[in-house]
Amino acid sequence: MPEGLFFTDKDGTRRSEIRIKWWEDPSKMTCKSISIIPLENLPEQPIELSELKTLDFYRGGDKKVFFGHYWLKGQPSLYKDNVCCLDYSLAKEGKLVAYRLNGESILNSSNIVYI
């Protein structure tokens, strides 16, 4: 996060770092748009690229990846044709999410199942 900004997480801890959308090109993102969690106090200014540890990002041609430990909320969806989060806060009354992989090379949102 830009210097001086912070948010309070679900457990009441003050945080000055955010989880970023590592599958997006940071040179095309703003502080607000690169954050996984929508935070109102993040500015719509371009990312300060010198602040990032790396400029690498997960590209469309990379292997399919499924990830978790993000405690997302809302409707499960794909982030890209090859990027899918399966963690929608089940332990906090969220959704149990899975993806039915049928050998497809491009992920399909209709294969996301949840209860």
Side-chain angles (χ1 to χ4, degrees):
M1 295 182 79
E3 189 171 331
L5 293 182
F6 68 92
F7 70 99
T8 304
D9 72 11
K10 63 183 176 24
D11 296 319
T13 303
R14 186 174 164 153
R15 305 277 182 188
S16 59
E17 294 184 346
I18 58 173
R19 289 191 176 175
I20 65 168
K21 296 174 182 171
W22 42 264
W23 54 87
E24 296 291 351
D25 181 350
S27 69
K28 297 178 180 176
M29 305 294 284
T30 67
C31 294
K32 190 174 209 141
S33 67
I34 203 164
S35 178
I36 296 279
I37 308 276
L39 299 170
E40 292 303 316
N41 65 334
L42 286 173
E44 286 287 358
Q45 69 189 43
I47 298 292
E48 183 60 50
L49 299 177
S50 64
E51 298 283 323
L52 298 177
K53 294 176 184 174
T54 179
L55 297 179
D56 287 341
F57 63 97
Y58 208 76
R59 299 175 188 276
D62 292 338
K63 295 184 219 178
K64 297 180 286 287
V65 65
F66 300 90
F67 65 97
H69 297 287
Y70 274 56
W71 292 84
L72 299 180
K73 296 179 181 177
Q75 184 74 20
S77 63
L78 298 176
Y79 283 101
K80 276 188 159 177
D81 289 343
N82 61 339
V83 178
C84 181
C85 182
L86 299 174
D87 183 356
Y88 279 79
S89 308
L90 177 63
K92 298 282 186 178
E93 299 182 19
K95 296 172 178 71
L96 176 61
V97 181
Y99 184 91
R100 288 187 179 138
L101 189 60
N102 295 313
E104 64 272 15
S105 58
I106 296 175
L107 299 178
N108 186 322
S109 60
S110 66
N111 290 348
I112 298 173
V113 293
Y114 59 92
I115 55 170

